[in-house]
CSV table of all heavy atoms in Angstrom, one decimal:
chain,number,residue,atom,x,y,z
H,1,ALA,N,21.3,188.7,23.6
H,1,ALA,CA,21.0,190.1,23.2
H,1,ALA,C,20.5,190.2,21.7
H,1,ALA,O,19.6,191.0,21.5
H,1,ALA,CB,22.4,190.9,23.3
H,2,ALA,N,21.0,189.4,20.8
H,2,ALA,CA,20.6,189.4,19.5
H,2,ALA,C,19.1,189.1,19.4
H,2,ALA,O,18.3,189.7,18.6
H,2,ALA,CB,21.4,188.4,18.6
H,3,PHE,N,18.7,188.1,20.1
H,3,PHE,CA,17.3,187.7,20.2
H,3,PHE,C,16.4,188.8,20.8
H,3,PHE,O,15.4,189.2,20.3
H,3,PHE,CB,17.1,186.4,20.9
H,3,PHE,CG,15.7,185.9,21.1
H,3,PHE,CD1,15.0,185.4,20.0
H,3,PHE,CD2,15.0,186.1,22.3
H,3,PHE,CE1,13.7,185.0,20.2
H,3,PHE,CE2,13.7,185.7,22.4
H,3,PHE,CZ,13.0,185.1,21.4
H,4,GLY,N,16.9,189.3,22.0
H,4,GLY,CA,16.1,190.2,22.7
H,4,GLY,C,16.1,191.6,22.2
H,4,GLY,O,15.3,192.5,22.6
H,5,ASN,N,16.9,191.9,21.2
H,5,ASN,CA,16.9,193.2,20.5
H,5,ASN,C,16.0,193.2,19.2
H,5,ASN,O,15.8,194.3,18.6
H,5,ASN,CB,18.3,193.7,20.2
H,5,ASN,CG,19.1,194.2,21.4
H,5,ASN,OD1,18.5,194.7,22.3
H,5,ASN,ND2,20.4,194.0,21.3
H,6,ARG,N,15.5,192.0,18.8
H,6,ARG,CA,14.7,191.9,17.6
H,6,ARG,C,13.4,192.7,17.8
H,6,ARG,O,12.7,192.5,18.8
H,6,ARG,CB,14.4,190.5,17.3
H,6,ARG,CG,15.6,189.7,16.7
H,6,ARG,CD,15.3,188.3,16.5
H,6,ARG,NE,14.2,188.1,15.5
H,6,ARG,CZ,14.3,187.4,14.4
H,6,ARG,NH1,15.4,186.7,14.2
H,6,ARG,NH2,13.2,187.3,13.6
H,7,ALA,N,13.0,193.5,16.8
H,7,ALA,CA,11.8,194.2,16.9
H,7,ALA,C,10.6,193.3,16.9
H,7,ALA,O,9.6,193.6,17.6
H,7,ALA,CB,11.7,195.2,15.7
H,8,ASP,N,10.6,192.2,16.1
H,8,ASP,CA,9.4,191.3,16.1
H,8,ASP,C,9.3,190.6,17.5
H,8,ASP,O,8.1,190.4,18.0
H,8,ASP,CB,9.5,190.3,15.0
H,8,ASP,CG,10.8,189.4,15.0
H,8,ASP,OD1,11.7,189.8,15.7
H,8,ASP,OD2,10.8,188.5,14.2
H,9,VAL,N,10.4,190.3,18.1
H,9,VAL,CA,10.3,189.6,19.4
H,9,VAL,C,9.8,190.6,20.5
H,9,VAL,O,8.9,190.3,21.3
H,9,VAL,CB,11.7,189.1,19.8
H,9,VAL,CG1,11.7,188.7,21.3
H,9,VAL,CG2,12.1,187.9,18.9
H,10,LEU,N,10.3,191.8,20.4
H,10,LEU,CA,9.9,192.8,21.4
H,10,LEU,C,8.4,193.2,21.3
H,10,LEU,O,7.8,193.6,22.3
H,10,LEU,CB,10.8,194.0,21.3
H,10,LEU,CG,12.2,193.8,21.7
H,10,LEU,CD1,13.1,195.0,21.3
H,10,LEU,CD2,12.4,193.6,23.2
H,11,SER,N,7.9,193.2,20.1
H,11,SER,CA,6.5,193.6,19.9
H,11,SER,C,5.5,192.5,20.0
H,11,SER,O,4.3,192.7,20.0
H,11,SER,CB,6.4,194.4,18.6
H,11,SER,OG,6.7,193.6,17.5
H,12,ALA,N,6.0,191.3,20.0
H,12,ALA,CA,5.1,190.1,20.0
H,12,ALA,C,4.7,189.8,21.5
H,12,ALA,O,5.5,190.2,22.4
H,12,ALA,CB,5.7,188.9,19.4
H,13,ALA,N,3.7,189.1,21.7
H,13,ALA,CA,3.3,188.6,23.0
H,13,ALA,C,4.1,187.3,23.2
H,13,ALA,O,3.7,186.2,22.6
H,13,ALA,CB,1.8,188.3,23.1
H,14,ILE,N,5.1,187.3,24.0
H,14,ILE,CA,5.9,186.1,24.4
H,14,ILE,C,6.0,186.2,25.9
H,14,ILE,O,7.0,186.6,26.5
H,14,ILE,CB,7.3,186.1,23.8
H,14,ILE,CG1,7.2,186.2,22.2
H,14,ILE,CG2,8.0,184.8,24.1
H,14,ILE,CD1,8.5,186.3,21.5
H,15,PRO,N,4.9,185.9,26.6
H,15,PRO,CA,4.7,186.3,28.0
H,15,PRO,C,5.5,185.5,29.0
H,15,PRO,O,5.2,185.6,30.2
H,15,PRO,CB,3.2,186.2,28.2
H,15,PRO,CG,2.7,185.2,27.2
H,15,PRO,CD,3.6,185.3,26.1
H,16,ALA,N,6.5,184.7,28.6
H,16,ALA,CA,7.5,184.2,29.5
H,16,ALA,C,8.5,185.2,29.9
H,16,ALA,O,9.3,185.1,30.8
H,16,ALA,CB,8.2,183.0,28.9
H,17,GLY,N,8.5,186.3,29.1
H,17,GLY,CA,9.3,187.5,29.4
H,17,GLY,C,8.5,188.8,29.2
H,17,GLY,O,7.3,188.7,28.8
H,18,GLY,N,9.1,189.9,29.6
H,18,GLY,CA,8.4,191.1,29.5
H,18,GLY,C,9.3,192.3,29.3
H,18,GLY,O,10.5,192.2,29.4
H,19,GLN,N,8.7,193.5,29.1
H,19,GLN,CA,9.5,194.7,28.9
H,19,GLN,C,9.0,195.6,30.0
H,19,GLN,O,7.8,195.9,30.2
H,19,GLN,CB,9.2,195.3,27.5
H,19,GLN,CG,9.7,194.4,26.4
H,19,GLN,CD,8.7,193.3,26.1
H,19,GLN,OE1,7.5,193.6,26.2
H,19,GLN,NE2,9.1,192.2,25.6
H,20,LEU,N,9.9,196.2,30.8
H,20,LEU,CA,9.5,196.9,32.0
H,20,LEU,C,10.5,197.8,32.5
H,20,LEU,O,11.7,197.7,32.1
H,20,LEU,CB,9.2,195.9,33.1
H,20,LEU,CG,10.2,194.8,33.4
H,20,LEU,CD1,11.2,195.2,34.5
H,20,LEU,CD2,9.5,193.5,33.7
H,21,THR,N,10.1,198.8,33.2
H,21,THR,CA,11.0,199.6,34.0
H,21,THR,C,11.1,199.1,35.4
H,21,THR,O,10.1,198.4,35.9
H,21,THR,CB,10.6,201.1,34.1
H,21,THR,OG1,9.4,201.2,34.8
H,21,THR,CG2,10.4,201.7,32.7
H,22,ALA,N,12.2,199.3,36.1
H,22,ALA,CA,12.3,198.8,37.5
H,22,ALA,C,11.2,199.4,38.4
H,22,ALA,O,10.6,198.8,39.2
H,22,ALA,CB,13.6,199.2,38.1
H,23,ARG,N,10.9,200.7,38.2
H,23,ARG,CA,9.9,201.4,39.0
H,23,ARG,C,8.5,200.8,38.8
H,23,ARG,O,7.7,200.7,39.7
H,23,ARG,CB,9.9,202.9,38.9
H,23,ARG,CG,9.5,203.4,37.6
H,23,ARG,CD,9.6,204.9,37.5
H,23,ARG,NE,9.2,205.5,36.2
H,23,ARG,CZ,9.3,206.7,35.9
H,23,ARG,NH1,9.9,207.6,36.7
H,23,ARG,NH2,8.9,207.2,34.7
H,24,ALA,N,8.2,200.5,37.5
H,24,ALA,CA,6.9,199.9,37.2
H,24,ALA,C,6.7,198.5,37.8
H,24,ALA,O,5.7,198.1,38.3
H,24,ALA,CB,6.6,199.9,35.7
H,25,ALA,N,7.8,197.7,37.7
H,25,ALA,CA,7.7,196.3,38.2
H,25,ALA,C,7.6,196.3,39.7
H,25,ALA,O,6.9,195.6,40.3
H,25,ALA,CB,8.9,195.5,37.7
H,26,ALA,N,8.4,197.2,40.3
H,26,ALA,CA,8.4,197.3,41.8
H,26,ALA,C,7.0,197.8,42.3
H,26,ALA,O,6.5,197.3,43.3
H,26,ALA,CB,9.5,198.2,42.3
H,27,ARG,N,6.4,198.7,41.5
H,27,ARG,CA,5.1,199.2,41.8
H,27,ARG,C,4.0,198.1,41.7
H,27,ARG,O,3.1,198.0,42.6
H,27,ARG,CB,4.8,200.4,40.9
H,27,ARG,CG,3.5,201.1,41.2
H,27,ARG,CD,3.4,202.4,40.3
H,27,ARG,NE,2.1,203.1,40.6
H,27,ARG,CZ,2.0,204.1,41.5
H,27,ARG,NH1,2.9,204.4,42.3
H,27,ARG,NH2,0.8,204.7,41.6
H,28,MET,N,4.2,197.3,40.7
H,28,MET,CA,3.2,196.2,40.6
H,28,MET,C,3.3,195.2,41.8
H,28,MET,O,2.3,194.8,42.3
H,28,MET,CB,3.5,195.4,39.3
H,28,MET,CG,2.5,194.3,39.0
H,28,MET,SD,3.1,193.1,37.8
H,28,MET,CE,4.3,192.1,38.8
H,29,TYR,N,4.5,194.8,42.1
H,29,TYR,CA,4.7,193.9,43.3
H,29,TYR,C,4.2,194.6,44.6
H,29,TYR,O,3.6,194.0,45.4
H,29,TYR,CB,6.1,193.5,43.4
H,29,TYR,CG,6.5,192.3,42.6
H,29,TYR,CD1,7.1,192.4,41.3
H,29,TYR,CD2,6.2,191.0,43.0
H,29,TYR,CE1,7.4,191.3,40.5
H,29,TYR,CE2,6.5,189.9,42.2
H,29,TYR,CZ,7.1,190.0,41.0
H,29,TYR,OH,7.4,189.0,40.2
H,30,ALA,N,4.4,195.9,44.7
H,30,ALA,CA,4.0,196.6,45.9
H,30,ALA,C,2.5,196.6,46.0
H,30,ALA,O,1.9,196.5,47.1
H,30,ALA,CB,4.5,198.1,45.8
H,31,ALA,N,1.8,196.6,44.8
H,31,ALA,CA,0.3,196.6,44.8
H,31,ALA,C,-0.2,195.2,45.0
H,31,ALA,O,-1.4,195.0,45.2
H,31,ALA,CB,-0.2,197.2,43.5
């Protein structure tokens, strides 16, 4: 949590992870 709440981590491109809503992620997989 400490790492994942950091502003620099959340705004950087670290594309082994992402920021998403469930409905957006489900919509992507549906497409």
